[in-house]
C-alpha cells in the first residue's frame, strides 16, 4: 500500500466525519494516527481507525444516501 494513498484516504474520511459532525472521538483518533503514521511509518493504527471510519460512514450513508460519495467508501474498503 502506498503511503500517499493511505494518508489521502484517511484525510478524506477525517474531513467527511468532521463535516457531518459524527464522532469527535474518532476524529481525534484519526488525527493522532495520521500524525503517528507520518512520524514512524507504521500503518497499523491508521488502517484500524480507517476501518472504524468506514463502518461509521456506511451507517450514515444508509440514513442519508447523498451525504457520502461512493468513491470515499470504495477507497476505505480498499485499505
Amino acid at each position: 500500500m502506498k503511503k500517499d494513498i493511505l494518508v489521502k484516504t484517511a484525510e478524506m474520511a477525517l474531513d467527511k466525519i468532521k463535516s457531518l459532525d459524527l464522532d469527535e472521538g474518532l476524529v481525534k483518533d484519526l488525527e493522532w494516527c495520521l500524525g503517528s503514521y507520518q512520524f514512524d511509518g507504521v500503518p497499523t493504527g491508521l488502517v484500524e481507525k480507517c476501518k472504524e471510519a468506514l463502518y461509521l460512514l456506511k451507517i450514515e450513508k444508509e440514513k442519508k444516501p447523498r451525504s457520502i460519495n461512493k468513491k470515499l467508501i470504495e477507497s476505505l474498503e480498499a485499505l
Side-chain angles (χ1 to χ4, degrees):
M1 168 185 343
K2 290 187 176 181
K3 182 177 180 176
D4 55 332
I5 293 172
L6 176 59
V7 170
K8 182 178 178 184
T9 302
E11 288 174 344
M12 289 188 322
L14 178 62
D15 290 342
K16 183 52 76 172
I17 292 169
K18 279 182 179 178
S19 72
L20 295 173
D21 197 29
L22 293 178
D23 186 342
E24 186 65 31
L26 184 55
V27 166
K28 290 179 182 182
D29 288 346
L30 275 169
E31 290 172 338
W32 188 88
C33 286
L34 273 165
S36 175
Y37 179 62
Q38 296 286 349
F39 177 73
D40 64 15
V42 178
T44 309
L46 185 56
V47 171
E48 181 181 315
K49 292 301 172 183
C50 284
K51 297 294 181 187
E52 289 180 31
L54 172 63
Y55 177 76
L56 183 66
L57 292 171
K58 279 185 171 181
I59 290 172
E60 189 65 19
K61 187 166 179 66
E62 287 178 13
K63 294 178 193 173
K64 302 175 195 168
R66 294 182 180 252
S67 64
I68 299 158
N69 69 27
K70 184 178 175 182
K71 183 171 176 17
L72 176 56
I73 298 292
E74 289 172 349
S75 296
L76 286 166
E77 288 174 335
L79 296 179

